[in-house]
Amino acid sequence: MKAVVLREFGAASNLRMESVAMPRPGRGELLVRVRACGVCYHDVINRRGNLPRTHVPAILGHEAAGEVVEVGPDTPGWKVGDRVATLQRMSCGDCALCRTGRNSLCRKDNRFFGEELPGGYAQYLVAPVLGVGRVPENMPWEVAATACCTTGTAVHTVRTRGRVQPGETVLITGASGGVGLSAVQLCKADGARVIAVTSGEAKAQALHEAGAAEVIISRGLDFAAEVRKRTGGEGVNMAVEIVGSATFDQTLKSLAPGGRLVVVGNLESGVVNLNPGLVIVKELEIIGAYATTSAELDDALKLTAAGTVRPFVSEAVPLADAGRAHFRLENREIAGRLVLIPPDLQ
Ligand SMILES: [Zn+2]
Ligand SMILES: [Zn+2]
């Protein structure tokens, strides 16, 4: 089969199409013909060599969707032709965390697609059944591929971890990416008012379309004063930090007393200085949000099918152009998600 293989960590141009051996599904696994695979900033971090569990040569991509073409032995409940989309990572289905629905934190099986498991930048992918959800009948593949890591992550971040309430004001940084645009829509659907921060004028339109009440264009790191101004000096009840270390300080300063900061992205993998005094006197909560649970993937696919959260797939490009797609993402040229389409089978 054809796959984009990363043989050396580094530049986007290191992503090259090759012919590789067909994978085979083992017990509890499905062979999936990939119809679309989203390009996520996580893949950029991975390609640079900043994720310790990835070893080259590697096939990146954790946002794959396609149909089952072969079912491994002892894999009840699945058949050829079933439509699936991957979660970001695996879980065991049986430990205390999995049994309480927190399977994105499972330690017994934490393999990630595109890291320990070969990912979706390929014509085929082997997926253990605990790593996929079922895609509704008429959903386009590029929409299904990105639903998990954009809307699923937004469900996890905004609802499960952030506990957003009607009438609250929510700040979202890095809002024009896939997770951000879904989070904006979900907050609005749940009755909150959204202030979105983005890096460029060109992306403001998509944010208004998604339902942001206010859009702050800030390439620099000084938006807290602007947030205060736009909240009558109060600050926000909740903030969704998608950029991470670069904006963390300003986001923390944007919170109202009792505010909640949900950290879901850290694009540059950096560290932050934190003044504990600020957290104490305002009784702030700093909450982590990681990946998507199986139930949240189902919710995301339902929200998408119902039109409550609209996908922002900005472009579908051929799999062979994966390097170029990474380059554009790194240069902040993309509002929403780019999706890779594998070549037709010969
Ligand atoms: Zn992703
Ligand atoms: Zn588990």
Side-chain angles (χ1 to χ4, degrees):
M1 68 164 181
K2 298 281 188 202
V4 166
V5 180
L6 180 71
R7 295 210 163 262
E8 205 180 330
F9 293 118
S13 55
N14 292 6
L15 293 168
R16 291 197 201 105
M17 188 94 109
E18 294 183 13
S19 292
V20 300
M22 267 296 273
R24 308 258 37 125
R27 179 164 298 167
E29 294 180 336
L30 308 169
L31 179 65
V32 177
R33 179 182 171 190
V34 179
R35 294 293 193 150
C37 185
V39 181
C40 182
Y41 210 88
H42 180 99
D43 304 347
V44 171
I45 296 169
N46 200 1
R47 191 207 74 220
R48 289 174 182 163
N50 292 331
L51 300 178
R53 300 190 327 204
T54 306
H55 299 283
V56 286
I59 299 175
L60 306 186
H62 55 271
E63 301 184 5
E67 71 266 70
V68 173
V69 292
E70 191 182 335
V71 178
D74 301 327
T75 311
W78 293 90
K79 62 181 191 313
V80 169
D82 283 348
R83 293 158 56 89
V84 299
T86 58
L87 282 158
Q88 296 99 336
R89 50 157 282 167
M90 288 303 304
S91 58
C92 76
D94 196 39
C95 69
L97 286 161
C98 284
R99 276 189 266 118
T100 52
R102 301 191 75 177
N103 55 276
S104 64
L105 294 179
C106 177
R107 287 281 171 247
K108 275 177 86 178
D109 188 354
N110 59 3
R111 290 173 297 165
F112 209 103
F113 286 103
E115 295 180 34
E116 296 94 339
L117 294 168
Y121 287 18
Q123 285 180 310
Y124 294 93
L125 146 115
V126 164
V129 294
L130 287 174
V132 298
R134 291 181 187 272
V135 171
E137 207 36 58
N138 296 312
M139 187 174 286
W141 290 119
E142 63 270 25
V143 171
T146 56
C148 178
C149 205
T150 60
T151 304
T153 300
V155 171
H156 188 66
T157 302
V158 167
R159 287 186 174 169
T160 309
R161 302 294 295 149
R163 316 178 309 270
V164 70
Q165 300 297 318
E168 288 192 322
T169 301
V170 180
L171 174 72
I172 302 177
T173 67
S176 54
V179 176
L181 286 164
S182 286
V184 170
Q185 295 178 81
L186 199 57
C187 285
K188 180 142 195 244
D190 288 352
R193 173 173 170 257
V194 176
I195 302 177
V197 181
T198 187
S199 58
E201 189 78 47
K203 299 171 180 171
Q205 178 67 27
L207 286 165
H208 284 299
E209 274 173 37
E214 311 265 351
V215 177
I216 300 174
I217 316 272
S218 169
R219 265 199 104 85
L221 303 171
D222 52 357
F223 55 83
E226 190 59 33
V227 172
R228 298 220 149 266
K229 213 182 287 172
R230 298 192 195 204
T231 53
E234 283 292 302
V236 296
N237 308 108
M238 175 173 140
V240 175
E241 181 55 85
I242 298 178
V243 177
S245 53
T247 50
F248 187 90
D249 181 56
Q250 286 290 303
T251 303
L252 199 67
K253 285 176 180 157
S254 300
L255 290 174
R260 311 180 303 283
L261 169 50
V262 192
V263 187
V264 64
N266 194 18
L267 303 187
E268 304 308 322
S269 333
V271 296
V272 296
N273 287 315
L274 176 70
N275 175 1
L278 189 62
V279 179
I280 293 167
V281 299
K282 288 169 90 177
E283 291 197 347
L284 303 178
E285 292 179 54
I286 300 172
I287 303 162
Y290 177 56
T292 308
T293 67
S294 303
E296 289 159 350
L297 172 56
D298 291 341
D299 285 348
L301 290 165
K302 281 186 197 129
L303 285 163
T304 308
T308 310
V309 177
R310 161 164 107 73
F312 278 81
V313 177
S314 51
E315 219 177 309
V317 299
L319 178 61
D321 294 343
R324 172 90 191 126
H326 273 228
F327 179 82
R328 291 171 62 195
L329 190 61
E330 280 177 297
N331 284 282
R332 301 184 180 191
E333 290 174 21
I334 308 299
R337 266 291 196 276
L338 276 177
V339 169
L340 302 172
I341 308 292
D344 284 339
L345 308 173
Q346 271 107 42

